[in-house]
Amino acid sequence: QLAESGGGSVQTGGSLNLSCEASGVIHARGCMAWFRQGPGKEREGLAGIDIHGLTSYADSVKGRFTISRDNAKNILYLQMNSLKPEDSAMYHCAAIDLCVSATQVLPFMARGHLDTWGQGTLVTVSS
C-alpha cells in the first residue's frame, strides 16, 4: 500500500515536496517511481530510484525535480522546484518489482508495468 501526500496549490516558480508512505519496505522493492496524470492526459513517468539509490528523470522535470527516499521511514519523496502551470496534475508514487535499474523505470512505466500505486495527491500551479 502506498499513500501520497504533500500536494497543494502554488504559483509559478514555487516548490512542493511530495511524500509517499509505504506499508512495506520500499528499498526492497525493485524500483520506486513517481508519475503524474493531468486531466485528459496520458500518464507521464517522471522519476525513478532503484535499490542502489540511482535515479532517473524524464526530460520534462530533469533539473527541477528530485526523487529520494528514507529507507528507515519507508518514505519516498519528490522535491519539486521551479513549478510551472503544465506541472499541474495528480501525482502518484509507484513500485515496480521487476525493475533492477533506475534506467528501466521510464520504459517500464511507458508500458504500464507498475505493480502498486497510490491514490495520488493533487498539484495545481497557477500562473
Side-chain angles (χ1 to χ4, degrees):
Q1 295 257 349
L2 301 173
E4 304 90 342
S5 63
S9 296
V10 297
Q11 292 187 328
T12 298
S15 298
L16 287 171
N17 190 23
L18 306 184
S19 298
C20 170
E21 293 192 47
S23 58
V25 180
I26 61 170
H27 69 267
R29 307 298 290 268
C31 296
M32 298 296 297
W34 287 95
F35 68 92
R36 68 188 178 192
Q37 189 160 17
K41 296 183 179 180
E42 293 187 355
R43 180 174 55 213
E44 178 186 11
L46 301 175
I49 185 167
D50 64 25
I51 60 172
H52 305 291
L54 299 177
T55 59
S56 63
Y57 297 92
D59 289 342
S60 60
V61 303
K62 195 174 296 182
R64 300 188 299 124
F65 291 10
T66 303
I67 187 172
S68 63
R69 65 177 186 224
D70 185 327
N71 290 338
K73 297 181 179 179
N74 288 322
I75 299 177
L76 181 74
Y77 299 101
L78 184 69
Q79 175 66 44
M80 306 189 298
N81 299 326
S82 302
L83 284 163
K84 307 172 183 179
E86 51 263 43
D87 292 319
S88 298
M90 187 71 77
Y91 283 69
H92 303 261
C93 61
I96 308 172
D97 292 335
L98 293 180
C99 172
V100 298
S101 168
T103 59
Q104 296 177 310
V105 170
L106 296 182
F108 271 47
M109 285 200 284
R111 295 194 292 271
H113 292 170
L114 307 176
D115 293 287
T116 310
W117 58 93
Q119 292 295 314
T121 186
L122 184 64
V123 171
T124 303
V125 185
S126 58
S127 57

